Amino acid sequence: MKKITLLFWIMFFPLLSCAQDLVSAWPVNAGPLNPHLYSPNQMYAQVLVYEGLVRYDKDNKIEPAIAESWQISNDGKTYTFTLKEGQLFSDGSTLDAFAVEKNFKAIMLNKMRHSWLGIVNKIESFKALDSTHFELKLNSPYVATLQELSLPRPFRILAPSGFKTDDTSKGIAKPIGSGAWQLAETRLGEYDIFIPNPHFKGQKPAFKRLVVKVLPDPNARVLALQSGAVDILTGKDSLSLENFVRLQKDGRYITEKSDIQGTTMLVINASSERLTKDIAIRKAILHAFNKDNVISGILLNTEQKADNLFSPTLPYADQKLQPYTYNKELAQQFLEDADWKLNGKTRQKESKKLELDLIYIGTNPIQKAIAEALQGDLSKVGITLNLIANEEVSFYQTQKNGKFDLIFNETWGNPYDPHSFLGSMLTSSHADYTAQKDLPNKAEIDKSIQNILDSNAADSEILQKKYHFVLNALNDSAIYLPISYSFIPAVYHKDRIKDFQFGAMQTEFMFHLFTPAKP
């Protein structure tokens, strides 16, 4: 009965829409769309509805958004933003520097929740100087200031008319922003409907409505696309790689791949309570993994093989690091030299078996397949790898508490990489901190990361040298097993959409720039 209901929904929902609708699909509803909070608010929808002071564009550039210009003091600590006069929120209320100040106050009331973000710990003061000038003061220079102000959250601006109280962590009255779209209707478990913001200052959407169906099952999303009930699927994990490759061969659709948006990797825990504290084991794992087989057999050659934590295309990341190439004999030699001797199929040292656990998200088929490939490769050098499937919430808690030998991880794409992702290594909110905490040079790595973050963004030559040390130190520690540089996929009906383009961030979908293929 459930399957029949799903197919009925996929086939007949189009009758509720019209030719001037743009229809997509997402696993869950957009959420309450509080711009200053996280799940269940969906980032793509927060970007649709809200703007920040600035916007991150391709080529690592910062562009005007709510602010038309900004000045940075010589010491790198004071940012003065100039806003355009006459800006309005989607409900027609005034968007000025006082509204920006009200939002910053609400965000900083909830400072601890946002402390993973470096700028939050740098903010000393903020105020509206007048209706068109907003001043932000930091306690020291911070290289990622503008990049982090451009993120999907939390520094997006809610209209004062959308506040319930001054503390938005307790909820908002209504999601009112200045982005290209405004939320018009939500039906839980069924759809979200967005309509154009009549006061948006950029290019107005060509479609009258954006309908985002809620389809949790990835196969249902593809069926909806093929049945014509959905015009476009885009976003990380919106469809499987197998379906992406298959649809590339179907002349009804256009398939697109974004530029690199992050690195998929495994983190190997070097903390003192794990067997993987032994760098010989970590290096053996890195050399035993046949990455090329994963790229061709599991990722279907859609993603580029990664040898570094960050793509060399990113600022300061092209450091010519020495990769850990596939070499089974070298992996075995590392283990032999460290006195891990074969005893049957599994190596042993002082009665301890070389048996490790790899944690993955149970509902992620790609992670499961990669884990099984690594399990097979490690067995060939005498390492037993147990695969442990976690549900998603438990998975991220395990990252944080460090109760893993190996665990999947990803960098966050633009504009988090590399500055903000490095900054997150300084706090215990992600796998990186727990895996690194007992490295002999951890204090030096942390100090160097802090020096990077405290740098003036204009000091590019100094930043290059600091990155050289940090990225080489992390590479030498052998705690990261980079697998691939990921991308954002998009598949859409060629007879319905034209003028497609990707946003600069993983969760920035440029629906307002698309136009109907047929008038």
Side-chain angles (χ1 to χ4, degrees), residues 27-131:
V28 294
N29 281 102
L33 288 191
N34 187 326
H36 306 150
L37 291 183
Y38 304 95
S39 182
N41 303 283
Q42 298 300 296
M43 282 196 282
Y44 87 87
Q46 288 169 304
V47 174
L48 294 181
V49 172
Y50 300 104
E51 294 181 292
L53 284 166
V54 294
R55 179 178 176 270
Y56 183 85
D57 198 5
K58 294 177 180 178
D59 305 318
N60 306 303
K61 293 180 180 178
I62 298 294
E63 292 190 339
I66 289 173
E68 66 175 348
S69 63
W70 52 91
Q71 292 182 325
I72 307 172
S73 62
N74 291 335
D75 62 6
K77 295 194 291 185
T78 302
Y79 288 71
T80 305
F81 297 91
T82 301
L83 280 61
K84 291 179 183 176
E85 294 187 17
Q87 293 185 92
L88 301 174
F89 289 103
S90 60
D91 66 347
S93 60
T94 300
L95 196 177
D96 58 15
F98 298 105
V100 174
E101 179 185 297
K102 185 177 181 68
N103 277 260
F104 270 69
K105 181 179 178 182
I107 294 164
M108 295 306 289
L109 280 173
N110 206 21
K111 180 177 178 178
M112 286 303 297
R113 185 172 295 190
H114 310 305
S115 61
W116 63 273
L117 200 58
I119 189 175
V120 171
N121 303 303
K122 295 284 187 179
I123 292 177
E124 184 177 278
S125 66
F126 51 86
K127 62 179 178 180
L129 302 178
D130 55 39
S131 63

Side-chain angles (χ1 to χ4, degrees), residues 149-167:
L149 291 178
S150 74
L151 294 176
R153 55 196 183 196
F155 290 99
R156 296 270 167 156
I157 306 305
L158 170 69
S161 55
F163 278 68
K164 186 183 295 183
T165 68
D166 287 341
D167 186 355

Side-chain angles (χ1 to χ4, degrees), residues 132-430:
T132 58
H133 293 91
F134 177 74
E135 180 186 82
L136 177 65
K137 286 192 173 184
L138 309 179
N139 53 35
S140 67
Y142 183 57
V143 68
T145 296
L146 294 174
Q147 285 88 343
E148 292 187 0
L149 291 178
S150 74
L151 294 176
R153 55 196 183 196
F155 290 99
R156 296 270 167 156
I157 306 305
L158 170 69
S161 55
F163 278 68
K164 186 183 295 183
T165 68
D166 287 341
D167 186 355
T168 51
S169 70
K170 305 292 194 294
I172 61 174
K174 195 173 182 181
I176 303 169
S178 60
W181 301 89
Q182 54 184 320
L183 184 64
E185 183 183 348
T186 290
R187 185 168 290 183
L188 191 62
E190 295 186 14
Y191 59 79
D192 297 296
I193 296 177
F194 300 85
I195 60 174
N197 169 9
H199 304 293
F200 180 58
K201 60 185 179 297
Q203 182 175 323
K204 301 291 193 299
F207 290 91
K208 288 195 172 181
R209 299 194 310 174
L210 169 62
V211 179
V212 183
K213 300 182 183 182
V214 177
L215 295 173
D217 181 77
N219 293 321
R221 293 195 289 274
V222 173
L223 282 172
L225 180 78
Q226 293 177 307
S227 73
V230 162
D231 300 322
I232 181 170
L233 294 177
T234 187
K236 204 166 189 178
D237 302 322
S238 60
L239 70 166
S240 69
L241 292 178
E242 290 86 355
N243 277 322
F244 182 77
V245 170
R246 179 172 61 83
L247 292 171
Q248 283 180 320
K249 303 170 185 175
D250 191 322
R252 293 175 295 171
Y253 311 107
I254 295 177
T255 58
E256 306 270 10
K257 291 169 60 175
S258 73
D259 294 334
I260 290 170
Q261 280 285 11
T263 307
T264 300
M265 59 183 158
L266 288 168
V267 180
I268 309 174
N269 198 343
S271 59
S272 58
E273 62 268 21
R274 318 303 296 191
L275 285 181
T276 44
K277 66 185 177 184
D278 186 343
I279 193 171
I281 295 175
R282 302 199 301 272
K283 287 185 175 180
I285 293 169
L286 295 178
H287 284 296
F289 186 39
N290 192 335
K291 205 179 296 183
D292 288 332
N293 283 349
V294 168
I295 296 297
S296 60
I298 297 173
L299 301 179
L300 306 178
N301 293 312
T302 58
E303 296 191 357
Q304 179 184 336
K305 181 172 73 172
D307 288 321
N308 302 323
L309 176 60
F310 297 114
S311 165
T313 61
L314 288 168
Y316 312 110
D318 187 11
Q319 296 290 341
K320 306 296 188 293
L321 303 174
Q322 185 65 39
Y324 292 87
T325 56
Y326 173 57
N327 188 327
K328 187 173 71 172
E329 291 73 25
L330 182 57
Q332 290 171 325
Q333 191 62 54
F334 273 117
L335 297 172
E336 287 288 333
D337 291 347
D339 291 326
W340 289 99
K341 305 299 183 182
L342 270 176
N343 183 4
K345 293 184 178 180
T346 303
R347 291 181 182 270
Q348 191 169 314
K349 180 179 181 180
E350 298 173 355
S351 76
K352 288 184 178 179
K353 289 186 176 181
L354 188 40
E355 190 170 342
L356 308 174
D357 294 338
L358 188 160
I359 313 297
Y360 71 97
I361 298 174
T363 55
N364 188 315
I366 296 293
Q367 286 189 6
K368 184 175 187 290
I370 292 173
E372 289 171 345
L374 180 62
Q375 184 184 50
D377 287 342
L378 294 190
S379 70
K380 296 173 185 176
V381 298
I383 300 175
T384 296
L385 187 65
N386 302 314
L387 307 185
I388 300 176
N390 276 190
E391 55 87 21
E392 196 163 348
V393 173
S394 177
F395 173 86
Y396 289 111
Q397 184 58 40
T398 302
Q399 277 196 345
K400 186 175 179 178
N401 64 32
K403 293 180 180 178
F404 63 88
D405 297 317
L406 295 90
I407 197 165
F408 279 90
N409 198 19
E410 296 176 332
T411 68
W412 304 333
N414 298 329
Y416 301 92
D417 296 345
H419 299 321
S420 299
F421 190 83
L422 276 190
S424 73
M425 295 177 181
L426 302 178
T427 63
S428 59
S429 55
H430 300 92

Side-chain angles (χ1 to χ4, degrees), residues 2-21:
K2 186 175 181 181
K3 186 174 182 181
I4 294 172
T5 302
L6 176 62
L7 290 174
F8 179 88
W9 170 250
I10 289 172
M11 295 301 296
F12 290 98
F13 185 86
L15 299 176
L16 304 178
S17 59
C18 65
Q20 292 178 312
D21 286 348

